[in-house]
Amino acid sequence: MRTLDFILNGEACHTEIPEDATLLKVLRDILHLTGTKEGCGEGDCGACTVLVDGRSVNSCLFPAVQAEGCQVMTIEGVEAHPELARIQKAFVDYGAVQCGFCSPGMIMSTVALLQKYPKPTEEEIRRGLSGNICRCTGYQAMVDAIQSLA
Amino acid sequence: MSQMLIPNTVTEACQMLSSGNSVACAGATNLYVDREKGKYLDRDIVSLHRLKELSGIREEKDGWHIGSLTTFDLIEDAFRGQGAMDALAEAASLVGGPQIRNRGTIGGNILSASPAADTVPVLMALDAVLVLVAENGQRMVSINGFMKGPGRTAIHQGEILTEIVIPFKTGAARFRKVGKRNALAISIINAAVYMEKEAGRITTLAIAVGSAGPTALRAFHTEELLRAWKRPGSEEKWQSLHEEIAIALSEDISPIDDIRATGSYRKTVADNVVLQLVRELWEACEK
């Protein structure tokens, strides 16, 4: 075990972690923030997407020790942030959520996308979401939801 | 059980890596996937994340110096539209998805030594040189000859790749990747071509193909064929060049059947992609 200090959703977080734990494991199993999902565990599906220092990453592939001193934002952090919560509302309004399993990761990728491109084109949106897989919606509803925000 | 070791300096990293029971980890996009398959379970992991000096791009007298921990997204942003380096931006932009590009590093792409690594053919075509640092000194080696087989390179125990140096180029380069889908696909074939032309003749040419042998490799027979080639004025001449490329490439590459594609499909795709890149570069230089 070793200690890990980082900023989680804007607040200082100090915790004990197993040596080789992934960030996903720390978030879900130790800190009980279960909004972040585990899908494939191989970096293909994007369900575990969180932001580290503002950039989207697959938390299932991220050694938790590498988060030391970093700003980590999860879907729970988005919920608490009024500006970002607009994204969640747009997803609901446009039917971009069906089973919901991919939604936390999709929304985190959207947060990262809109930080880079405040008014993204359709191509930028599709590329921005290309690391997230959804088996329900066919993606169009998400593209529409994100375009409504721009 | 393995330990996570965290060096604060390159020298410390070299010491940690000299034991033979440790493996370096940069962006870690392969680490947990490999461990799931039983690899590295008894090895200590040397996490390089504190070595911030290994991340970033510098322009120096002898060319571009790219830190080994520079991520794909930074490479894409830095080199878009930058002459021949645009091919490296293109390759970096086609790795994985955004989350992988935010984490995966060029050093990791080289040292993982996948035959399908997307940046490696570009680095080969642009004559990249690798800076390898050990506790007692450093050496510089060409990427051409460095890749030894799937998962194997010529790096020594206790060495760390710190920089990739790419000499400035006056010609043009392109990269193409063929996979099953646009995002998160491993290349079935990838290729990079660098070309300099003068008075209707190719003066300098480098062709590198990936996913078509145990490592990405330079297609020397095909390069030789094309160096002797003169201005192909008609569509028929391009057609006959296609056939000649197919013959020359069969001397250069040895694609195999695997879960992603058959060897013969790979060969056909490689023939087409190399011709396409050569033709695009040729015609772009005409303008």
Side-chain angles (χ1 to χ4, degrees):
Chain A
M1 299 291 280
R2 65 163 72 220
T3 59
L4 175 67
D5 287 281
F6 65 116
I7 312 292
L8 177 58
N9 296 326
E11 288 181 20
C13 178
H14 170 89
T15 185
E16 291 273 310
I17 61 163
E19 195 81 2
D20 57 355
T22 62
L23 182 58
L24 176 70
K25 188 179 170 66
V26 171
L27 292 171
R28 286 185 58 88
D29 298 352
I30 299 175
L31 301 170
H32 306 297
L33 292 179
T34 54
T36 304
K37 305 303 180 197
E38 176 163 26
C40 66
E42 296 190 349
D44 281 332
C45 77
C48 66
T49 303
V50 301
L51 304 191
V52 176
D53 290 340
R55 294 155 89 201
S56 62
V57 303
N58 297 117
S59 63
C60 74
L61 301 180
F62 196 109
V65 296
Q66 292 193 1
E68 64 178 0
C70 294
Q71 297 262 3
V72 176
M73 185 190 272
T74 68
I75 191 71
E76 288 85 357
V78 175
E79 192 181 16
H81 192 299
E83 172 61 16
L84 301 178
R86 273 194 335 131
I87 298 170
Q88 285 178 316
K89 185 168 182 307
F91 269 59
V92 172
D93 290 348
Y94 280 79
V97 176
Q98 288 187 23
C99 88
F101 197 82
C102 76
S103 305
M106 282 287 177
I107 288 171
M108 296 317 292
S109 284
T110 305
V111 172
L113 170 74
L114 292 174
Q115 276 170 4
K116 191 165 182 186
Y117 304 104
K119 292 188 184 300
T121 63
E122 176 167 352
E123 196 190 331
E124 285 161 351
I125 295 172
R126 290 190 180 274
R127 187 159 190 260
L129 299 184
S130 64
N132 295 75
I133 290 175
C134 170
R135 298 290 81 169
C136 305
T137 64
Y139 304 100
Q140 189 59 45
M142 292 161 186
V143 174
D144 294 343
I146 296 167
Q147 276 180 328
S148 81
L149 295 164
Chain B
M1 115 138 211
S2 69
Q3 267 187 302
M4 199 59 103
L5 306 175
I6 307 177
N8 289 305
T9 63
V10 169
T11 307
E12 257 179 50
C14 295
Q15 286 163 352
M16 289 169 177
L17 288 166
S18 62
S19 77
N21 190 38
S22 53
V23 60
C25 155
T29 53
N30 282 332
L31 177 67
Y32 292 98
V33 180
D34 286 340
R35 281 167 64 107
E36 193 62 33
K37 292 177 188 153
K39 272 176 93 177
Y40 309 132
L41 290 175
D42 55 349
R43 308 272 287 273
D44 290 336
I45 308 296
V46 180
S47 177
L48 305 176
H49 64 280
R50 283 186 192 160
L51 307 181
K52 305 288 183 213
E53 66 272 31
L54 300 188
S55 175
I57 296 164
R58 297 191 323 274
E59 197 177 346
E60 292 200 4
K61 274 189 192 149
D62 58 344
W64 293 102
H65 288 233
I66 305 174
S68 57
L69 295 187
T70 309
T71 52
F72 297 114
D73 66 318
L74 296 181
I75 288 171
E76 181 188 351
D77 289 348
F79 293 123
R80 266 294 177 217
Q82 297 287 320
M85 294 299 283
D86 185 68
L88 187 63
E90 177 71 3
S93 79
L94 295 172
V95 174
Q99 296 94 322
I100 298 291
R101 291 193 291 273
N102 285 340
R103 289 286 295 160
T105 66
I106 188 162
N109 205 223
I110 296 167
L111 292 173
S112 300
S114 161
D118 286 320
T119 63
V120 173
V122 183
L123 297 174
M124 286 180 164
L126 297 181
D127 301 313
V129 170
L130 311 178
V131 181
L132 299 162
V133 173
E135 244 190 293
N136 51 5
Q138 71 169 51
R139 62 186 178 120
M140 293 176 80
V141 298
S142 169
I143 186 136
N144 290 301
F146 182 75
M147 314 306 290
K148 294 296 181 196
R152 288 190 302 120
T153 69
I155 196 166
H156 297 157
Q157 199 172 302
E159 271 183 335
I160 169 168
L161 169 63
T162 56
E163 262 185 355
I164 296 99
V165 182
I166 303 178
F168 296 124
K169 298 278 185 181
T170 54
R174 293 215 176 181
F175 171 82
R176 191 126 313 144
K177 165 175 182 167
V178 177
K180 293 244 160 132
R181 58 196 284 268
N182 285 336
L184 296 164
I186 294 173
S187 289
I188 288 170
I189 281 290
N190 56 21
V193 176
Y194 172 76
M195 187 186 289
E196 286 174 31
K197 245 181 69 181
E198 215 179 278
R201 282 196 74 124
I202 294 171
T203 52
T204 306
L205 181 73
I207 300 172
V209 185
S211 226
T215 71
L217 41 78
R218 282 280 291 272
F220 292 116
H221 291 88
T222 312
E223 290 177 10
E224 203 180 308
L225 163 79
L226 283 156
R227 272 192 215 104
W229 185 262
K230 288 187 193 134
R231 184 191 178 87
S234 63
E235 202 54 42
E236 292 75 49
K237 279 190 106 180
W238 281 113
Q239 194 53 47
S240 76
L241 181 60
H242 191 183
E243 285 156 24
E244 289 181 56
I245 284 177
I247 295 165
L249 257 187
S250 56
E251 305 265 331
D252 290 319
I253 65 174
S254 50
I256 55 164
D257 298 348
D258 70 8
I259 52 164
R260 282 182 285 281
T262 62
S264 68
Y265 177 73
R266 283 196 158 93
K267 175 63 175 51
T268 304
V269 172
D271 298 344
N272 294 344
V273 166
V274 168
L275 176 74
Q276 207 177 60
L277 292 172
V278 166
R279 186 168 183 172
E280 283 172 16
L281 285 167
W282 185 286
E283 289 174 350
C285 295
E286 299 272 272
K287 280 173 194 159

